Amino acid sequence: RVCGAKVRDTISGEESTIRAKVVVNATGPFSDHIRKLDDPNAEDIIVPAGGVHVVLPDHFSPSDMGIIVPKTRDGRVLFFLPWEGMTLAGTTDSKTGITMRPQPSAEEVKFILREANRVLSRKVTKGDVRAAWSGIRPLVRDLSQEAGSTAKMSRSHVILTSESGLVTIAGGKWTTYRRMAEDTVTAVLREHPDPPEEARSRSSEIQLIGADRARVVVGQDFDQITITLRETHGFDKDTALHLTRNYGTRALQRFSL
């Protein structure tokens, strides 16, 4: 039965052993590699799909509204979202290799700009691109079906538990991460040798760090945080709003150290 892992620091080379009652494999596109360390005969389930996004000036999207194009020429979805004072546009969806450093290709960026110019009244050029990045979606394939386009594959997540007790969470997407975590913890509790009486995840009942969970910092009136950052710490309005929206009460704690 899996009872931990031997790990190595890739910077120092130092090796150590970590023991655990339950081990979770939450390694995204690298999930199959870890599963095969547990069971060399495990069948691959991950189909890595590359997704590229570009950052454009803010005038390409309303400040409080997103735009979605439900179908590009090749059947994908294109969106424009206001993001950190800019416009986030994307995305591509194609099979890719697994790497620690995915890079956006010139062709993928051109695809986004080309499709954007089909729907926007103001022409987007390469000179408008402020940044671009690529990520790898760890899509999970249906073992009963033939491989096809990644754009048509499900974004649902799956929980697999091996015979040795390794719990793997695979698939999913950013917008469902809380549910993914909840399902994973529930699976962990099923494998735990000495689970608590109420063996279920409480993720849906717990607010995130910085949410003023006890209502003792600002009574969840987060405008007070923005005002304090501006009046006490001298931040301009945009910076104060950015810190409040991203860190909640932790923004105050950061500058009270």
Side-chain angles (χ1 to χ4, degrees):
R1 186 174 179 82
V2 174
C3 59
K6 290 183 178 180
V7 299
R8 179 172 59 87
D9 187 322
T10 57
I11 296 176
S12 67
E14 181 180 352
E15 296 185 354
S16 58
T17 298
I18 300 174
R19 298 194 176 280
K21 294 180 178 179
V22 183
V23 177
V24 176
N25 173 19
T27 54
F30 304 96
S31 296
D32 284 334
H33 174 72
I34 302 301
R35 292 175 61 240
K36 289 180 184 298
L37 294 177
D38 172 51
D39 177 8
N41 296 316
E43 189 170 358
D44 288 345
I45 60 170
I46 297 297
V47 178
V52 171
H53 298 76
V54 299
V55 178
L56 304 171
D58 62 345
H59 56 255
F60 284 108
S61 68
S63 61
D64 58 353
M65 186 184 303
I67 304 172
I68 186 169
V69 179
K71 194 171 184 180
T72 60
R73 282 187 231 188
D74 63 355
R76 298 184 235 179
V77 171
L78 185 71
F79 62 79
F80 303 85
L81 296 173
W83 180 70
E84 302 295 351
M86 305 292 280
T87 296
L88 182 64
T91 176
T92 61
D93 197 321
S94 57
K95 291 182 180 179
T96 186
I98 297 178
T99 173
M100 290 291 290
R101 298 180 181 275
Q103 299 289 328
S105 70
E107 187 54 42
E108 289 171 314
V109 173
K110 288 179 182 178
F111 166 81
I112 294 174
L113 300 185
R114 185 167 59 247
E115 292 298 321
N117 284 324
R118 292 180 58 220
V119 297
L120 296 180
S121 59
R122 180 166 182 169
K123 185 176 178 60
V124 187
T125 68
K126 183 179 178 181
D128 292 315
V129 177
R130 298 294 183 264
W133 73 83
S134 177
I136 301 176
R137 300 183 186 89
L139 303 182
V140 177
R141 70 186 183 95
D142 185 339
L143 298 179
S144 65
Q145 298 180 358
E146 294 293 329
S149 167
T150 57
K152 297 179 180 179
M153 295 187 68
S154 172
R155 267 56 178 169
S156 299
H157 64 276
V158 298
I159 306 287
L160 300 175
T161 302
S162 70
E163 292 185 5
S164 64
L166 176 68
V167 176
T168 295
I169 168 68
K173 52 187 178 179
W174 285 117
T175 51
T176 60
Y177 77 97
R178 290 291 295 264
R179 178 57 187 268
M180 293 168 65
E182 182 177 349
D183 291 349
T184 302
V185 171
T186 298
V188 166
L189 291 171
R190 284 198 296 264
E191 293 300 312
H192 199 286
D194 186 26
E197 290 185 7
E198 192 175 3
R200 68 177 183 87
S201 168
R202 294 179 55 237
S203 176
S204 62
E205 305 165 12
I206 300 175
Q207 292 181 317
L208 298 175
I209 294 174
D212 195 16
R213 291 174 286 186
R215 296 178 177 269
V216 298
V217 181
V218 292
Q220 293 196 331
D221 179 5
F222 294 98
D223 286 341
Q224 293 183 39
I225 299 175
T226 304
I227 294 171
T228 300
L229 290 173
R230 296 184 68 187
E231 295 184 349
T232 303
H233 300 287
F235 287 103
D236 60 66
K237 180 181 178 180
D238 289 342
T239 303
L241 284 171
H242 169 81
L243 292 170
T244 301
R245 289 169 179 167
N246 283 275
Y247 301 104
T249 58
R250 285 299 175 100
L252 290 177
Q253 294 172 324
R254 166 66 179 83
F255 296 103
S256 64
L257 296 177

